[in-house]
Amino acid sequence: MTLDLPLVFTVLIGAAILAYVVLDGYDLGIGMLMPAGDADEQSVMVAAIAPFWDANETWLVLGVGLLLVAFPVAYGVIFGALYLAVVAMLIGLMLRGVAFEFRVKAEGWHRELWNWLFWLGSFIASLAQGFMLGRYITRFESGFGYLVYALMVGGGLCGGYVLLGATWLVLRSEGALQRKAIAWARWGLGWVALGVALVSMATPLVSETVRDKWFDFPRTLGLMLLPAASIAAGVWVWKTTGRFKRGDLAAEWKPFAGAVAIFALAFIGLAYTLFPYVVMDRLTIWDAAAHPSSLKVVLAGALVVLPFIVAYTAFSYRVFRGKARKGL
């Protein structure tokens, strides 16, 4: 049986992007929550992501790299249309990285300054990522309405990252900070619910293709399971943050697992909406794919590299499991 290589690479790129969104999403969310903590709590919040945040961005590099080599035409179209947003995202990520390192050595108001810059870098990167997604869904069309839609998606993604960050803190912190993280998680859940509702209502209005795929009844009745499952995941997060015994690791995992489930379900819905396009309404994955010989070589390399990335990620999370402690 011959492999459908463009489809294989689509799955690999999608998996890499989902891994990035979940893993780097929680530390971007914690970055946006920094101003809400006091000095001691901020040190614990930073310690909760310190062993992981840099490696989490590996998944973004992997996803973009696979897009470049597997779908070079689409890569040129996408990043040609989004270059300003990409620059903004990179500035945010660089500012965040610099602030993360400098705040360790800073004292007094200098540390407070770097904490705010860490927040700013996290917010810019998060908003830019959501903005790019919104522009991608609307085929990079110009106009005020499309701009508002992209900003709405960006705002919703910021809320999602805050939810991930707060639920990660529920798992990694204790005491007063954990109680604050529970309140932040519930606040973030409301933000996500509002964002998902607004984006879901607006998306069919900005894309005829989406409207046709979502409302092609009765063929799409099965699609209704996704919003139902998302609501169930949201209720799960609300309930598990409402009551659990402090120190019960199994219970402390539940809010984060629910937040991840919300993102995974949203990603499945997005994949259904976009497929088979790699550039909405313009290029399918088969139109934009590189030559099969190139795809075979890259696939062989990816199959060698991916197990090492997955193994290192799993190993690092195992080694640094447990509660974060003040020290950064």
Side-chain angles (χ1 to χ4, degrees):
M1 183 178 66
T2 303
L3 282 176
D4 189 337
L5 290 175
L7 184 59
V8 170
F9 273 94
T10 301
V11 172
L12 288 176
I13 292 169
I17 292 175
L18 178 59
Y20 168 77
V21 166
V22 170
L23 296 178
D24 205 38
Y26 75 72
D27 60 58
L28 284 165
I30 290 176
M32 287 186 282
L33 287 169
M34 284 286 282
D38 60 33
D40 289 340
E41 289 169 344
Q42 288 171 344
S43 294
V44 177
M45 292 165 74
V46 170
I49 62 176
F52 316 113
W53 75 276
D54 205 16
N56 289 342
E57 294 177 358
T58 302
W59 293 101
L60 177 62
V61 176
L62 177 64
V64 173
L66 289 175
L67 177 64
L68 170 61
V69 296
F71 306 107
V73 176
Y75 178 91
V77 172
I78 293 169
F79 286 94
L82 296 176
Y83 69 95
L84 287 177
V86 171
V87 169
M89 181 189 72
L90 293 177
I91 290 174
L93 292 176
M94 288 187 290
L95 180 60
R96 178 169 163 263
V98 171
F100 188 95
E101 300 296 339
F102 275 52
R103 71 171 301 282
V104 178
K105 303 296 184 182
E107 296 180 358
W109 70 269
H110 290 96
R111 171 169 283 206
E112 186 66 19
L113 173 62
W114 288 116
N115 284 337
W116 277 102
L117 291 175
F118 186 61
W119 167 84
L120 180 62
S122 300
F123 173 71
I124 291 173
S126 303
L127 183 65
Q129 289 173 13
F131 181 84
M132 287 190 286
L133 176 60
R135 297 290 294 136
Y136 179 78
I137 292 172
T138 56
R139 308 176 306 279
F140 317 115
E141 296 283 353
S142 59
F144 180 74
Y146 294 113
L147 178 62
V148 171
Y149 173 81
L151 289 172
M152 188 192 315
V153 176
L157 186 63
C158 288
Y161 284 169
V162 165
L163 174 62
L164 281 172
T167 53
W168 181 253
L169 284 175
V170 170
L171 174 64
R172 296 279 290 171
S173 65
E174 53 192 350
L177 178 56
Q178 187 182 62
R179 291 190 292 273
K180 281 188 176 181
I182 291 170
W184 295 337
R186 291 187 149 209
W187 175 67
L189 183 62
W191 187 349
V192 169
L194 177 61
V196 169
L198 292 176
V199 171
S200 297
M201 289 187 291
T203 301
L205 301 178
V206 298
S207 172
E208 183 178 351
T209 299
V210 172
R211 186 164 61 250
D212 292 342
K213 293 195 75 170
W214 284 13
F215 300 106
D216 183 14
F217 297 112
R219 190 171 64 88
T220 56
L221 284 176
L223 191 64
M224 298 300 103
L225 292 174
L226 289 177
S230 298
I231 292 172
V235 171
W236 170 270
V237 173
W238 184 265
K239 286 186 174 181
T240 54
T241 53
R243 60 179 189 275
F244 65 82
K245 183 180 179 181
R246 304 296 185 263
D248 183 352
L249 182 60
E252 291 172 343
W253 262 107
K254 290 177 181 178
F256 184 69
V260 172
I262 291 172
F263 269 84
L265 290 166
F267 191 83
I268 292 171
L270 178 64
Y272 172 84
T273 300
L274 298 177
F275 188 80
Y277 293 106
V278 67
V279 177
M280 196 69 168
D281 295 336
R282 293 171 62 180
L283 290 171
T284 68
I285 59 174
W286 298 282
D287 295 331
H291 192 274
S293 60
S294 299
L295 294 179
K296 289 177 181 177
V297 172
V298 175
L299 180 61
L303 293 177
V304 171
V305 172
L306 269 174
F308 286 99
I309 298 176
V310 173
Y312 172 77
T313 301
F315 177 74
S316 64
Y317 277 86
R318 178 173 176 76
V319 169
F320 295 103
R321 66 188 183 279
K323 297 297 183 181
R325 296 288 182 265
K326 176 183 173 183
L328 291 176

